[in-house]
Amino acid sequence: MAYEIKVIDKAVRVLQCFTHQERQCTLSQLVLKSQINKPTLIRLLNSLIQNRLIVKDEHRRTYMLGPMAWRLGQIYHQNDQAEILIRPLLKKLSLQIRQTITFSICEGHQEVCLYCYNSNRELNHHITEGDVFDLLTASGKVFLAMANSKSSYYQKLQKQGYLFSLDERIQNLAVIAVPIFNSKKVFCGVLSASGFKQYFTERNLTKIINALLAQQKDIQDKLNFPINLHYE
């Protein structure tokens, strides 16, 4: 049984090698990213290909996620109550303040974009659902704050209700973030607005903060179920 679990863990590590930025990987890249030796990796890939979780491009000699991975993702989205509630609110908020709006959860020590609505400005901060980021900007620091009530981030969040960051992770990127709780006051994720810092003038900053805080309350009033959230 222990051996079978280890094999499953390794197969999951292979699947996690693929991202929006790296949708195709060579065998050498997968060895490097997964830290699985080549003979074992080849056996895993053959099994994943057989089950349509991965497909191989014979011409390019690369691997990519297969149709079964897409099918499982679609089933997840269709059963996701949070998506039905949150996605329209992100669109409404983005159109109101003309910034990219994201709802994120935390996996380990990284922030994962669960849902987003990108700004309709020609110059915007574009995010793709499923993107993974280090906990560097305001949204990441909200997760750090909620994980440690003795941190300076938590104290600042308690005092002003939001966190704000400039030029962190990406030059000229501004991010304002607030924690999201459900109706039972359970922390569920982070709502953030992001864009180029020239749009975050003193006048616009107040407008964006007020809009985020209003949306925070709206979501809390309607969110009467938990969201899968993991952070360490």
Side-chain angles (χ1 to χ4, degrees):
M1 179 64 74
Y3 172 76
E4 292 177 354
I5 292 173
K6 287 182 179 180
V7 170
I8 293 171
D9 287 342
K10 287 180 180 179
V12 171
R13 276 161 56 191
V14 174
L15 295 172
Q16 290 176 333
C17 290
F18 300 94
T19 66
H20 286 288
Q21 291 75 30
E22 294 181 279
R23 300 186 182 189
Q24 297 188 34
C25 295
T26 64
L27 182 60
S28 297
Q29 288 172 325
L30 289 174
V31 169
L32 183 63
K33 294 178 72 172
S34 68
Q35 295 297 294
I36 298 172
N37 66 70
K38 189 174 179 179
T40 301
L41 180 59
I42 290 173
R43 289 195 297 271
L44 287 171
L45 287 170
N46 288 336
S47 179
L48 291 168
I49 290 170
Q50 185 177 353
N51 288 282
R52 300 190 301 147
L53 284 162
I54 281 182
V55 294
K56 182 179 181 181
D57 185 327
E58 296 289 352
H59 178 68
R60 296 182 179 179
R61 295 186 178 182
T62 57
Y63 299 84
M64 66 193 84
L65 293 178
M68 184 56 72
W70 177 86
R71 179 173 176 270
L72 294 173
Q74 290 298 106
I75 292 171
Y76 170 80
H77 273 294
Q78 288 170 7
N79 291 324
D80 190 358
Q81 291 175 281
E83 179 182 14
I84 296 170
L85 169 64
I86 294 174
R87 195 180 292 282
L89 299 179
L90 300 187
K91 178 179 179 180
K92 175 184 174 183
L93 183 56
S94 180
L95 294 176
Q96 177 186 351
I97 63 176
R98 301 192 67 198
Q99 303 300 333
T100 293
I101 307 299
T102 305
F103 179 83
S104 301
I105 61 172
C106 198
E107 291 285 351
H109 296 285
Q110 291 184 306
E111 173 187 357
V112 181
C113 170
L114 198 58
Y115 316 115
C116 72
Y117 193 90
N118 287 294
S119 168
N120 59 7
R121 293 181 186 272
E122 186 173 356
L123 182 64
N124 71 1
H125 176 224
H126 186 87
I127 296 178
T128 302
E129 291 176 1
D131 279 350
V132 178
F133 306 108
D134 291 332
L135 304 179
L136 299 175
T137 65
S139 51
K141 290 173 182 177
V142 171
F143 287 114
L144 294 175
M146 298 306 298
N148 182 5
S149 61
K150 295 182 179 180
S151 67
S152 59
Y153 297 137
Y154 183 83
Q155 302 304 322
K156 193 170 186 178
L157 186 60
Q158 288 294 102
K159 181 178 180 181
Q160 60 189 26
Y162 66 90
L163 293 181
F164 177 50
S165 64
L166 275 177
D167 297 322
E168 299 191 45
R169 189 169 62 79
I170 298 176
Q171 191 70 24
N172 295 319
L173 176 66
V175 182
I176 303 175
V178 299
I180 293 296
F181 304 87
N182 66 12
S183 57
K184 295 183 180 180
K185 311 290 186 179
V186 176
F187 178 51
C188 292
V190 173
L191 180 69
S192 62
S194 60
F196 286 84
K197 66 181 182 182
Q198 57 261 44
Y199 298 131
F200 287 68
T201 62
E202 185 175 345
R203 178 180 175 183
N204 284 339
L205 201 58
T206 301
K207 177 183 176 182
I208 294 169
I209 291 168
N210 290 338
L212 275 173
L213 292 174
Q215 197 66 79
Q216 176 194 49
K217 184 179 184 308
D218 193 19
I219 293 175
Q220 179 175 313
D221 291 342
K222 296 175 180 177
L223 191 62
N224 56 11
F225 50 87
I227 293 176
N228 290 331
L229 175 70
H230 308 282
Y231 60 89
E232 298 175 359

